[in-house]
Amino acid sequence: MNVTLSIRGNKLIIQGENEGDIERAEKIIDDIRAVNREGYIIKPEDIMHSLQGLKEGKPVSIVSLFKGGIPVPSKKRVIIPKTPTQKEYMEAMLKYDIVFGIGPAGTGKTYLAMAMAIHFLLTRQVSRIVLVRPAVEAGEKLGFLPGAIEEKVSPYLRPLYDALYDMLDLDRASKLIEKGAIEIAPLAFMRGRTLNDSFIILDEAQNTTTEQMKMYLTRLGFGSKTVITGDITQIDLPPQKVSGLVEALKILKDIEGIKIIYFTEKDVVRHKLVQEIIKAYEKHERHSSA
């Protein structure tokens, strides 16, 4: 922003050659303080992403970004949208009962859905969260793995646990799981159930069959929402099997009350070092092929 910050005692000094730059920096710092006064913690990456608008000449308001985010009271955090598609996705989850989030890994499809589900649970808009994944990679191998069925499918559900523990303290999450307020289960466990007053997330939906997808969608009960996420370029089903997600997108696209959000590579939000690593590999590959 072409300014220098320094601290003297309890004063923050902003110095710069352009008065406009100084005023914008002061506005952003005031915004950060206002959000902090509400008791929420701002992460450095939240500030970096909110400042992206400055490069594009857009006005920046961290306060408005946080007001449009998903509050996670248990960790004094607000999950803010980092791209326009993420913002559209978050708004869709509030408005629609069935939302599809389609796109590559790293776009926040599952993470934002998890944040919204926890927000709905903690604000008592639903009575439970159900997190579902197809254990497609296991197939018949499940029978040969040691342990009970929960231990056998645990590796396939681990990403959902990781997202959950990032937003809830371990003790609180464990208690909610023990009480049944949060349930994490393989897709096969959904057959024969009707889920009322629930926020249900189906992750890795590209690995469902047609029958599984129809079964899952018809589990939705009164007062419930579901978010279905998947990457249709990463299907692990056998070649002869059609992806239930791909088929559902064609069949359901014209139904009012169902929203489909498509993410692209532009929506991938990665650690700064990961971005640098990707650039380095791309540069190496260009030199190698030259």
Side-chain angles (χ1 to χ4, degrees):
M1 296 184 67
N2 301 316
V3 298
T4 302
L5 305 180
S6 56
I7 297 172
R8 291 177 194 164
N10 64 349
K11 293 181 188 284
L12 180 66
I13 313 297
I14 306 171
Q15 294 173 303
E17 294 180 6
N18 185 297
E19 189 66 31
D21 289 339
I22 293 171
E23 286 175 1
R24 281 188 298 171
E26 186 177 359
K27 168 75 166 58
I28 287 166
I29 290 165
D30 282 341
D31 278 0
I32 292 169
R33 293 180 69 207
V35 173
N36 272 342
R37 276 197 296 271
E38 294 290 322
Y40 287 101
I41 298 164
I42 301 182
K43 290 193 165 187
E45 58 264 32
D46 292 335
I47 298 170
M48 291 304 298
H49 286 293
S50 64
L51 294 181
Q52 290 299 318
L54 275 180
K55 294 180 181 178
E56 300 162 15
K58 297 175 185 174
V60 173
S61 171
I62 291 175
V63 170
S64 64
L65 272 171
F66 270 72
K67 281 183 178 174
I70 307 168
V72 183
S74 61
K75 289 210 171 177
K76 293 292 182 185
R77 283 177 56 197
V78 175
I79 311 296
I80 63 170
K82 294 177 173 63
T83 70
T85 311
Q86 285 193 355
K87 188 173 189 296
E88 185 186 4
Y89 183 55
M90 286 163 58
E91 289 169 352
M93 287 189 283
L94 290 170
K95 184 176 179 182
Y96 294 88
D97 288 342
I98 297 179
V99 176
F100 286 84
I102 312 299
T107 50
K109 305 182 302 294
T110 304
Y111 192 83
L112 290 174
M114 183 74 77
M116 189 66 78
I118 290 169
H119 170 65
F120 266 67
L121 180 67
L122 297 182
T123 54
R124 303 183 192 279
Q125 295 179 64
V126 296
S127 61
R128 63 177 165 170
I129 298 170
V130 183
L131 309 170
V132 187
R133 254 192 167 210
V136 68
E137 299 91 340
E140 294 177 346
K141 296 176 188 175
L142 279 178
F144 299 98
L145 291 172
I149 184 66
E150 289 82 3
E151 294 171 296
K152 292 178 182 182
V153 298
S154 182
Y156 307 102
L157 305 175
R158 178 48 52 189
L160 294 174
Y161 282 102
D162 291 343
L164 176 64
Y165 293 142
D166 193 49
M167 292 175 215
L168 283 177
D169 295 326
L170 184 60
D171 288 345
R172 189 168 191 186
S174 300
K175 284 176 185 173
L176 288 169
I177 291 170
E178 284 173 22
K179 286 166 55 181
I182 298 177
E183 178 184 349
I184 304 177
L187 180 58
F189 284 24
M190 294 298 105
R191 194 171 297 280
R193 301 176 64 182
T194 300
L195 300 170
N196 295 318
D197 197 25
S198 304
F199 197 116
I200 316 139
I201 300 171
L202 173 58
D203 192 33
E204 295 289 325
Q206 75 274 8
N207 290 328
T208 60
T209 63
T210 299
E211 297 78 15
Q212 286 175 325
M213 180 58 77
K214 184 181 177 184
M215 177 272 289
Y216 173 80
L217 288 169
T218 52
R219 300 307 94 201
L220 193 68
F222 294 109
S224 291
K225 283 180 177 284
T226 184
V227 179
I228 298 121
T229 69
D231 179 358
I232 55 177
T233 67
Q234 298 289 329
I235 297 169
D236 299 316
L237 292 168
Q240 69 274 17
K241 285 280 188 183
V242 176
S243 167
L245 177 60
V246 172
E247 199 165 55
L249 294 174
K250 295 174 186 173
I251 294 169
L252 306 175
K253 64 179 174 21
D254 296 323
I255 294 182
E256 193 175 340
I258 295 177
K259 184 69 173 177
I260 302 170
I261 304 291
Y262 288 95
F263 294 86
T264 68
E265 289 294 339
K266 291 179 182 177
D267 297 301
V268 175
V269 179
R270 292 188 174 102
H271 189 287
K272 186 180 177 183
L273 279 177
V274 175
Q275 293 174 335
E276 294 301 319
I277 289 166
I278 290 168
K279 286 178 189 174
Y281 268 95
E282 287 173 350
K283 185 178 178 182
H284 174 72
E285 285 163 9
R286 282 197 300 271
H287 285 308
S288 299
S289 59

